[in-house]
Amino acid sequence: MSSSVRRPARVAPFAAALALALAAPAVAGAQARGALVGAADMTGTRSVAGGGLTGAAAYANGFAVSWNITNAGNNLLRYTYTFSDFGGRGAGLSHVILGLTDNCATSATPNNGTCVQGASTTLGANTAAPTGELRRFATTDPGNSNPGLANNIFGVKFNTVGSVGGTSGVSVSFLSDRVAVWGDFYGKGGSDNFVQNVGLTGAQFNSNNTAFYIARPDGVRVSDLPSSTAVVPEPGTVALLGVGMAGLVAAARRRTR
């Protein structure tokens, strides 16, 4: 897919909706979970201090997750997440869970048509292939593996690389052939330190506010979108393509059901 290819006739019907493409965080009339992430939000941050995340114990006063999604070519996106702002609080980071659409799969091998391909975790100079456990994580799971998990979440669990108490700045990176939508996140460090996005909790569960979620891969493939649609368009095309992609993703979902 090339972001330089444009077919004006294909995107012209969306021109009247330009003013709506750069909308406020709320998704009118629908929950934000599963809604398309616009090009302007391919880079973003959610935090306990700044909003979007809620934490307990050592994470109650600080934790942040940032993401950067770039076009890797060949119908692939590079998803990179960095977890920070918990260093010095006495709680490392043992694992994170990234919500996925339930028709996703993972693989250690890149370019094999799965949602999460060739993942790696990094802490300082240390990089390793994480153990990726893909399943539905439930609030009723035995033991204390995910304390405080507010609601069930289907996703992939990444064990981090040697993040002990006082160490911050862990990152996870992988390729995906799936477009980005808003979804859920959970992280744990130690026995009682946990953090999750606000949209996974209590009264905000299924909220229509995208500020309560993070960007993650969907079940819809990049290749399902027409070649005229840039997955990560240049700033000048964000307004036009943001609305167009929303309709295209909805149509692709209907075809795959």
Side-chain angles (χ1 to χ4, degrees), residues 21 38 86 124 137 151 175 195 199:
F86 57 88
F137 297 89
N151 277 286
L175 291 171
V195 62

Side-chain angles (χ1 to χ4, degrees), residues 6-62:
R6 296 288 183 271
R7 297 177 189 172
R10 298 292 296 275
V11 297
F14 303 118
L18 285 175
L20 299 178
L22 298 179
V27 178
Q31 68 176 34
R33 184 183 291 107
L36 182 75
V37 174
D41 292 314
M42 292 293 176
T43 298
T45 299
R46 300 289 183 264
S47 67
V48 171
L53 300 183
T54 179
Y59 291 166
N61 296 316

Side-chain angles (χ1 to χ4, degrees), residues 175-188:
L175 291 171
S176 179
D177 64 354
R178 311 305 171 96
V179 298
V181 297
W182 297 110
D184 298 312
F185 158 79
Y186 173 91
K188 177 198 173 186

Side-chain angles (χ1 to χ4, degrees), residues 145-171:
S145 57
N146 299 303
L149 181 64
N151 277 286
N152 298 345
I153 174 174
F154 180 89
V156 58
K157 173 184 175 182
F158 295 115
N159 294 322
T160 59
V161 183
S163 177
V164 295
T167 304
S168 189
V170 180
S171 66

Side-chain angles (χ1 to χ4, degrees), residues 87-111:
R89 304 181 192 279
L93 182 64
S94 62
H95 69 261
V96 297
I97 299 173
L98 180 65
L100 295 174
T101 304
D102 58 11
N103 67 349
C104 280
T106 64
S107 174
T109 306
N111 305 318

